[in-house]
Amino acid sequence: MTQHPTQAVILAGGQGSRLRPYTDDRPKPMVEIPGTGVPIIGHQLAWLADEGVTDVVVSCGHLAEVLDEWLAQAELPCRVTTVVEREPLGRGGGLKFAARSLPRPEEPWYATNGDIWTRFSLREMADFHAERDATATLALARPRIPWGAVETDEFGHVLDFIEAPPSPYLINAGVYVFSPRFVGLLPERGDHERTTFPRLARERALAGFPLPQGSYWRAIDTAKDLREAARELADGTPR
């Protein structure tokens, strides 16, 4: 029987420079999704709690005090601990730094980037991870290309214009399941996607979980992403 993780890490230490001016006075996870009155991290905590997570460690950096102030007054659905990177450690180093504060280091754990707004079954992802005896599993999304595509025939005649088609490639969705042994493979500083993940891929210990059909997923990286998230919310897309 799969042991579904009950602990998670949220990486919230980035500068969020592409989201300025929203991030001039707050870290990226504290930017509110328009129309909800709730910051990104509030949506993430609610989702994690719904998936059985009881303890979350948030790795902070840029304007960490703003996040701490919100956490102190918010009605939280789970226990939240913050750790502050005094100097940038990179995503891999930040994961390792935060994972050291997980309450149950001998158990598996989830992780997510602090700018991801999504809804899908983490328990199903954990089952997928366990079935493959993976050291790490990453969620895979197929986002829409932000530009229109042009379809042509073999003679170069334009046949059709396709508005924002799905990408032909799967991408790392920024949500993970990690086995306990993963922590020891992370760098003290640097990017795990350039070090740890390639090593695990060579060892066939890295799995990729495609998001279920119809799952909502969006990375909030720019002001345009915020506007589109607000439009999708108004349309009733996120569940």
Side-chain angles (χ1 to χ4, degrees):
M1 185 175 179
T2 301
Q3 180 184 16
H4 295 136
T6 58
Q7 54 188 356
V9 166
I10 297 176
L11 287 177
Q15 293 285 330
S17 56
R18 296 180 64 192
L19 256 178
R20 288 176 177 159
Y22 298 100
T23 51
D24 284 344
D25 61 355
R26 69 195 64 195
K28 186 192 287 191
M30 279 302 301
V31 174
E32 290 186 3
I33 301 293
T36 70
V38 178
I40 298 169
I41 194 168
H43 293 281
Q44 292 181 323
L45 292 173
W47 172 50
L48 290 169
D50 285 347
E51 292 295 322
V53 172
T54 59
D55 294 272
V56 175
V57 178
V58 183
S59 181
C60 309
H62 174 64
L63 296 174
E65 64 278 7
V66 178
L67 178 55
D68 274 333
E69 183 179 342
W70 181 81
L71 290 170
Q73 61 185 12
E75 187 174 334
L76 302 176
C78 52
R79 290 182 291 272
V80 180
T81 303
T82 59
V83 293
V84 180
E85 298 178 32
R86 298 304 175 187
E87 56 184 34
L89 299 176
R91 288 183 295 176
L95 269 178
K96 190 167 195 170
F97 177 63
R100 287 172 174 152
S101 294
L102 289 170
R104 295 171 291 280
E106 73 287 353
E107 296 181 8
W109 48 292
Y110 299 119
T112 182
N113 296 339
D115 59 358
I116 301 299
W117 188 26
T118 187
R119 281 276 174 170
F120 65 92
S121 173
L122 285 173
R123 292 181 177 93
E124 287 183 13
M125 187 175 173
D127 291 339
F128 183 95
H129 171 83
E131 287 164 4
R132 285 150 185 80
D133 193 27
T135 300
T137 296
L138 55 151
L140 302 175
R142 196 183 298 276
R144 291 193 171 276
I145 298 172
W147 309 281
V150 179
E151 183 182 354
T152 64
D153 64 17
E154 65 270 27
F155 302 108
H157 300 121
V158 173
L159 300 177
D160 199 5
F161 296 90
I162 306 169
E163 185 65 28
S167 168
Y169 300 104
L170 291 165
I171 67 162
N172 181 349
V175 180
Y176 311 93
V177 182
F178 295 133
S179 297
R181 61 185 178 274
F182 180 73
V183 179
L185 303 177
L186 285 166
E188 293 295 332
R189 62 179 62 240
D191 190 345
H192 61 291
E193 294 189 13
R194 296 186 178 183
T195 55
T196 312
F197 277 0
R199 171 185 169 181
L200 291 176
R202 289 192 298 270
E203 297 172 354
R204 298 294 187 268
L206 181 65
F209 174 77
L211 295 188
Q213 185 73 23
S215 297
Y216 182 78
W217 179 90
R218 176 170 288 280
I220 307 296
D221 194 43
T222 66
K224 181 181 178 183
D225 294 324
L226 274 178
R227 291 194 297 271
E228 292 186 352
R231 175 181 55 78
E232 290 162 350
L233 182 68
D235 292 343
T237 303
R239 296 196 302 269

